[in-house]
Amino acid sequence: MKGDAYLVVGSASVVLDPVGGARGERAVRVARDACIDALERAPSDLPGALEAANAQVRQAAREDTGLLGGTCSAVGVLLGAASVTVAWAGDACALRYRGSTLTRLTQ
């Protein structure tokens, strides 16, 4: 989709979806860069990466009012040796497809 971003850093995968047209697309770029930076510093802290992305988008909107009204939703998965971490923000959701069954993992 236009403006979406998908990134993989180590064992983490994150999808960012813009909300608010061109402003949302700008928010996705800010959030993407913040997620990458945060995951490179702390590869096992997916929730922290999404929190860092949120903080950077909010800061960017304070500095540039042209970004107001734009944001993005995010969903990410971190694969551990014996666990899976799912984190999300906004109206994004994580789904698991196993066999022929699709199960929603997040609310």
Side-chain angles (χ1 to χ4, degrees):
M1 299 254 205
K2 184 178 180 186
D4 289 2
Y6 176 75
L7 60 104
V8 177
V9 178
S11 299
S13 298
V14 178
V15 176
L16 300 158
D17 182 38
V19 177
R23 293 173 180 174
E25 291 175 20
R26 290 175 56 201
V28 162
R29 290 191 296 271
V30 171
R32 177 199 60 214
D33 293 346
C35 278
I36 291 169
D37 290 345
L39 287 168
E40 287 177 344
R41 284 192 311 275
S44 63
D45 189 10
L46 179 60
L50 295 187
E51 289 173 7
N54 180 53
Q56 286 298 314
V57 169
R58 292 173 62 90
Q59 181 63 36
R62 282 191 292 273
E63 294 172 0
D64 178 3
T65 58
L67 191 58
L68 290 174
T71 190
C72 61
S73 59
V75 64
V77 176
L78 176 69
L79 302 176
S83 65
V84 175
T85 301
V86 177
W88 72 99
D91 64 355
C93 69
L95 304 168
R96 178 183 64 205
Y97 183 73
R98 181 181 287 167
S100 61
T101 304
L102 191 61
T103 306
R104 188 172 180 157
L105 299 176
T106 58
Q107 296 298 320

